[in-house]
Amino acid sequence: MASGVRPRVKVPKSASAGDVITIKCLISHPMESGQRKDSDGNVIPQSIINNFTCSFNGETVVNIEMKAAISTNPYFEFDAMVPEAGEFEFVWDDDDGSTYTDTKAISIG
Amino acid sequence: MELTRRETLAVGGAALLVAGLPMPAMASAVDDQINAFTGGADVAEGGIDLIAPEIAENGNTVPIEVSADGAASILVLAAGNPTPGVGTFNFGPMAGESRAKTRIRLAGTQDVVAVAKMADGSFARTSKNVKVTIGGCGG
């Protein structure tokens, strides 16, 4: 597991039913591309987050397959529909098998 | 060492040839990825928006935005990177719009290509040239 990985997600606290809201999420991760070399000239092996999924009450909002060309500290912004109160779940999958998760609740009002 | 005019031309010609070689190889890698995504179907120009800066000072974080009305998924490729794949955005039933923003790495000045798979099974593509001042692939 890459050290110091911390997800940060921004979701409005409440919305009207049927609203489309914008979600921004950032996770701190080095996203080692596998192209860089260390001071001895050895290639540093690739170590990235390869998948990100956001779901609302179990239904997918967006699923993003990531390659090495996504920047360090991957940032995503996208739109989600909010038909009812519920919970957004965010899951990041690392190349090394670990997963990072975050959840945010949203209310109607 | 002194070069005759003939030798200079020969060396220059060889250098041009070498510089020209990697381009077709990369273009085919992009085509391969697009074909894998579309399954060989026809891809129309337009119907998809790709917003990227004309000039990116730092190739390590280039902000881009892709959007296409009614797209089920959008594939993004960087034609001039060592590996052209950037990512695939798959929009689920709860997606408000088929739109996403992210930040990508670009090794140098190149075309960024986006291909959208529409809900009806058709495909659309667009590309944008981004000039990069400092490349983003380390090394």
Side-chain angles (χ1 to χ4, degrees):
Chain A
M1 178 172 170
S3 62
V5 175
R6 191 166 71 93
R8 273 173 285 175
V9 179
K10 208 169 181 181
V11 177
K13 286 211 165 41
S14 67
S16 312
D19 261 9
V20 171
I21 59 160
T22 299
I23 298 178
K24 297 174 180 178
C25 48
L26 182 74
I27 185 166
S28 48
H29 191 280
M31 293 292 279
E32 195 56 63
S33 67
Q35 302 286 339
R36 297 198 308 153
K37 291 177 178 156
D38 63 15
S39 51
D40 300 328
N42 304 316
V43 172
I44 305 170
Q46 177 173 319
S47 171
I48 62 169
I49 294 173
N50 55 48
N51 208 304
F52 166 73
T53 304
C54 169
S55 51
F56 180 69
N57 290 349
E59 287 221 63
T60 308
V61 175
V62 68
N63 164 264
I64 302 171
E65 296 158 37
M66 295 152 74
K67 298 283 163 60
I70 300 286
S71 296
T72 303
N73 303 340
Y75 167 83
F76 294 111
E77 184 184 321
F78 49 87
D79 298 321
M81 248 180 327
V82 187
E84 65 214 4
E87 198 172 59
F88 284 101
E89 191 183 16
F90 306 88
V91 182
W92 291 262
D93 295 327
D94 198 311
D95 266 353
D96 64 13
S98 46
T99 58
Y100 318 107
T101 57
D102 199 1
T103 54
K104 290 277 180 213
I106 189 165
S107 60
I108 297 296
Chain B
M1 168 183 151
E2 262 185 57
L3 290 176
T4 63
R5 183 181 132 88
R6 182 167 298 181
E7 280 165 352
T8 311
L9 279 175
V11 169
L16 269 182
L17 195 66
V18 170
L21 272 180
M23 286 312 287
M26 273 181 217
S28 71
V30 170
D31 289 343
D32 284 352
Q33 295 226 6
I34 292 176
N35 277 336
F37 182 68
T38 61
D42 283 344
V43 180
E45 280 288 336
I48 169 173
D49 284 329
L50 169 66
I51 301 170
E54 255 172 53
I55 297 174
E57 285 189 4
N58 182 357
N60 272 310
T61 53
V62 183
I64 62 156
E65 177 173 355
V66 287
S67 60
D69 272 344
S73 53
I74 298 178
L75 170 79
V76 180
L77 299 169
N81 274 5
T83 53
V86 173
T88 311
F89 301 87
N90 302 308
F91 299 100
M94 299 306 284
E97 276 176 56
S98 299
R99 177 191 81 91
K101 264 189 199 178
T102 187
R103 297 172 188 156
I104 66 171
R105 289 182 177 131
L106 296 175
T109 299
Q110 59 179 284
D111 285 333
V112 177
V113 182
V115 184
K117 181 183 188 179
M118 299 302 180
D120 62 6
S122 65
F123 293 92
R125 70 171 276 171
T126 187
S127 66
K128 187 145 197 256
N129 189 267
V130 180
K131 290 189 170 63
V132 177
T133 320
I134 305 169
C137 276

